[in-house]
Every structure is written in C-alpha cells, then in structure tokens.
Amino acid sequence: MTLNNGKAGPSNFVWYELVTSDAKAAEAFYRGVVGWEADTQAGVTPGEPYTILKAGKVPVAGMMAMPKEFFTGGTKPGWIGYIGVDDVERFTKRVQEAGGKLHRPVREIPSVGSFSVVADPQGTVFVLFQPKEGAERPPEPPAGTPGYTSWHELHAVDGKSAFEFYSGMFGWKKTEAMDMGPMGVYQMFAADGPPIGGMMTAEDQANRPGWIYYFNVESADAAAGRVKEKGGKVLMGPHEVPGGSWIVQGIDPQGAFFAVVGPK
C-alpha cells in the first residue's frame, strides 16, 4: 500500500477502500468497469487478505471482504475515504469533540502509518490517516487520468452544517456554489488547490449514500454499459456536469454506491 502523504495545512483524501461482502466478485466488477489491476496480499489482521487496486502500476485504492454477519443491522458494503492528517491521535480527539463518533481506535499499519475510523456528527464514516514518517508521496497524475479518484461528493443529512464540520476540521474552503432548486445548494470545496468535491443535503434521506467517490474512466458512456454488463445498476447518467465531463452514479453488485467520471 502506498498512500499520499498527509501534511500540515488543508487535509486531502489520500486513499479509498471498499468494504464488501464478496471480494472476488467486486474485484471482477471494478476491473471490468474502471480498468483497475489487482494484487491481493496479507491484510492488517491475520487471515484477512487485502486487495490493492492499481491504475497501471500505481496503487490507488484497496478492498477487503468482511464476514456476512458484519452486514447486519443496516450495515451495507461501501466505499470509505482516508483523509490524511499530520497527527491522527489529535484529529481523532477533535472529531469526537466536534460531535463525531469513534468507530475504531488509532491503530498502526506496519511500515505504512496509523489510522482511526470515525464518523462525522451526521453519521457518515471516514478514516483519519497519518503516514509513517519519511513515507514517499507518489507524484500527482495529470487531471482525469483513468483509474484515479478526482471528485468527492457528500450527500449529507444537512449540507450546511456538514460543510461547517469538515471545513473546521480539515481547512477546506468554499469555491463555487450551485443552486439546484428543490434539491438545495451544491457547495463545492477545495483543499489546497483546485476544487476536489461538493456537498449537498441528500434528497433521499432514507437511502443517503454519504460520501460518493468518482473514479476517472476514458468514456462515461462505455463505463455505463460495463456497469450493466457486469451486474451493477446505473442510478443516474451519463449526465453532463459543468466543465464538460460526464458522470455516472451506480451501485455495484454487492450494494456499494460509486461513481465514474470522464468524457462522453
């Protein structure tokens, strides 16, 4: 696993992880839809294999299977984002002090770094990650490079207060805002450069996906076709967004929300 380096100043997403009920089936789906290569290795916990998903030769995401009993009581397969910080212990305490919850205490991944699993005050889960001192940060690829994640979209219980939490916690700044009529305001945000995502109040609170991560593909139309061919479900799109890109939102065969973005 090679993760982008957390640093002082505005934090950013550094890794993406799929927790699923069937790792082999999910691997086949995402290899077909996004074009990732895969490499399975030992996990953090003995007996739990961990699959590294690669764009070319560069690790960009991970995947692990959980026992069937894990997906009870409303828990579903899903993607989770890692946000890089310079002090995971301090940020874990700050999340709790701001009304968030701790799901998994700080734990070390040998030779990689330390992490904790937390939730924002509205219940959306994410990971805080502090890289091992001296860990190298892979070079940033050109914008739109297939296989990388380029957009992060939060469907919140309340978009306004969600932005207040994340901006206060990670230094994210407002950029453009779009009035989406009955759907409310879509607030885009940046970390330390161009916009990296947007937040909004979820239209369907009963099926609120939380964070949705957009993976770059060479063709949105082709990717939408592959989603259906591989047993997934297209929820929206291909739909054109400002800037000329096209997006597709969907659910994989195991039930995890995801999205892709690219030229039509």
Side-chain angles (χ1 to χ4, degrees):
M1 182 189 295
T2 304
L3 300 171
N4 293 336
N5 191 19
K7 59 181 180 179
S11 301
N12 206 336
F13 287 90
V14 297
W15 189 251
Y16 309 90
E17 187 171 271
L18 175 63
V19 179
T20 184
S21 56
D22 188 334
K24 289 185 178 180
E27 176 187 327
F29 176 80
Y30 286 101
R31 286 179 69 134
V33 171
V34 182
W36 285 323
E37 295 298 324
D39 178 22
T40 301
Q41 55 187 245
V44 177
T45 302
E48 292 182 359
Y50 192 85
T51 300
I52 301 292
L53 301 169
K54 300 178 179 180
K57 296 182 179 180
V58 181
V60 293
M63 179 175 62
M64 59 187 290
M66 296 297 287
K68 291 183 179 179
E69 54 267 26
F70 179 82
F71 299 103
T72 58
T75 301
K76 298 179 180 179
W79 284 94
I80 187 168
Y82 283 49
I83 299 175
V85 296
D86 56 5
D87 187 333
V88 69
E89 293 278 4
R90 178 169 62 87
F91 272 85
T92 300
K93 291 178 182 178
R94 287 186 60 201
V95 167
Q96 294 173 279
E97 291 168 355
K101 293 184 178 181
L102 176 64
H103 285 282
R104 190 167 186 175
V106 176
R107 187 175 183 183
E108 183 180 1
I109 308 174
S111 75
V112 176
S114 300
F115 74 97
S116 65
V117 182
V118 296
D120 68 23
Q122 300 180 23
T124 299
V125 178
F126 60 95
V127 174
L128 294 167
F129 176 78
Q130 179 183 353
K132 195 83 169 178
E133 187 174 352
E136 293 185 5
R137 181 178 181 176
E140 292 291 331
T145 300
Y148 287 80
T149 305
S150 61
W151 197 251
H152 316 82
E153 187 172 272
L154 177 61
H155 294 241
V157 174
D158 179 75
K160 184 176 183 294
S161 58
F163 182 81
E164 291 172 355
F165 167 79
Y166 285 99
S167 62
M169 191 66 53
F170 301 118
W172 295 345
K173 303 296 183 183
K174 289 182 178 181
T175 57
E176 184 180 355
M178 293 189 298
D179 186 345
M180 302 178 68
M183 294 176 65
V185 174
Y186 187 85
Q187 179 63 63
M188 289 181 273
F189 63 92
D192 192 16
I196 62 169
M199 299 185 191
M200 63 185 292
T201 299
E203 184 179 21
D204 183 359
Q205 291 287 335
N207 297 295
R208 188 176 67 87
W211 282 105
I212 297 181
Y213 305 103
Y214 285 72
F215 310 127
N216 295 334
V217 292
E218 294 180 353
S219 164
D221 273 346
R226 294 195 298 268
V227 169
K228 299 172 185 177
E229 292 170 4
K230 300 294 181 180
K233 182 179 180 181
V234 172
L235 299 177
M236 183 190 73
H239 174 74
E240 189 174 14
V241 293
S245 293
W246 293 72
I247 63 171
V248 176
Q249 293 181 352
I251 300 178
D252 71 22
Q254 287 69 51
F257 285 93
F258 74 99
V260 296
V261 57
K264 192 174 192 302

